[in-house]
Amino acid sequence: MKVLCWSAATSVKGIKGVRSAVGSYTHRRHLSQQVITHTPDQPRLGLAKKPFVRQWKPPPAHLPEDLKEQLCIPEDYDLAKWPLVPYPPEIAESIAPALKQFSFSPCVLQRIAGRLYEFPKPRIDNTLHTGKRAAVMLPLCEIRGVPSVLLTLRTQNVGSHKGQVCFPGGHLDLNDECMEGCAQRECMEELGLRVVAPSDRRLWEAEWRRRPYYPESNVLGRLPNCVAITGTLVTPIVGYLGAMDMRYAENKMNKDEVAEVFAMSIRDLMTPSNVVHDESIEMPAFVSGKHRIWGLTAYILHHFLMNIMLPSLLVTADSRRLGNCPW
């Protein structure tokens, strides 16, 4: 059974046992997949002397079976292909008014946390990543009452991903208690912001297995792990920052790492005309703002919107019609 937090000994072994510098990369792109061949200068500790091959393919996005049945959605409809494949009419009719009206109310946050808790998180085989671990924070917030996602533009001074749009995040540190702690630390270092969460260690250990984080914590949960192009295993953490003043965020950000902090509304991100796909690998990119969101950040964002946000809004909209849940 996997545990949420690494012990210090496990962290040391996991981090020291992986070379920080990797060798040559050969990139080959195919439809809906990306294959990377890695030939290290020296064999990695504990592994056979053979090329490291990582094959990464975006997993299908799916709605809960009860929601599919409730809305009469075709069994084979794959949300991962949205908007290349439009919503079925049943979804389109429900989601348009929901996007106009919803806020990050306790009811909606509860739905998001519950969906994150129940969403399958398959283990990624060790041969498909280098063993290095990282976490990113997907920060939800409200800008002037508009539900949004906070993003950063990296400076040219950082070691990697220069000038790219990213979530706050970075590699696991020896002092991090767990992946949530890593994402929190990086969010604080880059933006001077921290998601409200109690200091009770049980929240980060056994308790999360029996219930969602929220409302005990505004750390809402985890998305499934994914693999960066460098081979790092990345854990996306979803957190709610509450009402945000962008001037405060701009004043607090670490200008050595962050060139700009900005927000995009959920409504804009879930508007089909604002999302395009790379034809070579069917990867999404968000183009409605002044900065194009692409790569792993776009993949994580698309995964969250389709697998977590959309079902949460549809279920909340249905509950609202019955008078059980306000926006």
Side-chain angles (χ1 to χ4, degrees), residues 150-162:
L150 206 63
L151 295 138
T152 68
L153 180 71
R154 292 170 68 84
T155 66
Q156 297 296 328
N157 303 326
V158 293
S160 60
H161 310 297
K162 300 176 186 291

Side-chain angles (χ1 to χ4, degrees), residues 18 26 28 51 65 83 86 105 122 126 136 146 154 174 194 197 206 225 239-240 264 301 307 312 326:
V18 178
T26 302
R28 291 180 291 141
E65 293 303 319
S105 64
N126 291 338
V136 296
V146 179
R154 292 170 68 84
L174 290 175
R194 185 177 180 85
N225 289 340
Y240 176 58
M264 294 190 66
L301 186 54
N307 281 297
S312 301

Side-chain angles (χ1 to χ4, degrees), residues 28-36 53-59 124 128-129 224-229 231-234 281-284 295-300 303:
R28 291 180 291 141
R29 288 187 170 183
H30 301 280
L31 276 179
S32 71
Q33 72 177 21
Q34 190 173 355
V35 181
I36 299 174
V53 179
R54 176 171 70 83
Q55 186 177 30
W56 178 76
K57 185 176 181 179
I124 296 180
L128 302 181
H129 60 86
N225 289 340
C226 50
V227 182
I229 196 170
T232 300
L233 188 64
V234 179
I281 55 174
E282 294 187 358
M283 282 291 291
L296 189 66
T297 301
Y299 164 72
I300 293 171
H303 200 55

Side-chain angles (χ1 to χ4, degrees), residues 6 9-22 25 38 40 44-45 47 52-54 123-135 170-174 179 225-235:
W6 283 11
T10 305
S11 300
V12 171
K13 181 179 179 181
I15 294 175
K16 288 188 175 180
V18 178
R19 291 169 53 83
S20 58
V22 295
Y25 287 85
H38 168 216
R44 299 185 319 169
L45 184 64
L47 297 181
F52 167 71
V53 179
R54 176 171 70 83
R123 178 183 175 85
I124 296 180
D125 191 271
N126 291 338
T127 60
L128 302 181
H129 60 86
T130 62
K132 295 182 73 173
R133 300 294 305 273
H171 286 96
L172 186 71
D173 188 89
L174 290 175
M179 305 314 294
N225 289 340
C226 50
V227 182
I229 196 170
T230 57
T232 300
L233 188 64
V234 179
T235 303

Side-chain angles (χ1 to χ4, degrees), residues 139-261:
L140 304 177
C141 60
E142 293 196 40
I143 307 297
R144 298 177 182 174
V146 179
S148 305
V149 175
L150 206 63
L151 295 138
T152 68
L153 180 71
R154 292 170 68 84
T155 66
Q156 297 296 328
N157 303 326
V158 293
S160 60
H161 310 297
K162 300 176 186 291
Q164 294 183 16
V165 173
C166 296
F167 294 120
H171 286 96
L172 186 71
D173 188 89
L174 290 175
N175 295 321
D176 294 328
E177 293 181 344
C178 53
M179 305 314 294
E180 284 78 3
C182 175
Q184 285 273 50
R185 174 181 55 77
E186 291 286 347
C187 195
M188 177 61 73
E189 290 177 1
E190 294 182 22
L191 298 178
L193 302 171
R194 185 177 180 85
V195 176
V196 176
S199 58
D200 189 348
R201 284 287 300 273
R202 290 177 301 173
L203 183 66
W204 311 120
E205 294 171 353
E207 289 294 310
W208 75 280
R209 299 181 183 278
R210 295 193 289 274
R211 58 165 170 78
Y213 297 116
Y214 187 82
E216 283 77 5
S217 168
N218 280 353
V219 174
L220 302 178
R222 294 183 176 194
L223 286 166
N225 289 340
C226 50
V227 182
I229 196 170
T230 57
T232 300
L233 188 64
V234 179
T235 303
I237 308 298
V238 180
Y240 176 58
L241 290 169
M244 283 287 303
D245 183 340
M246 291 304 298
R247 292 173 298 180
Y248 177 83
E250 290 165 359
N251 291 332
K252 296 285 288 184
M253 71 182 190
N254 182 347
K255 293 179 174 58
D256 290 331
E257 297 184 31
V258 180
E260 183 180 346
V261 57

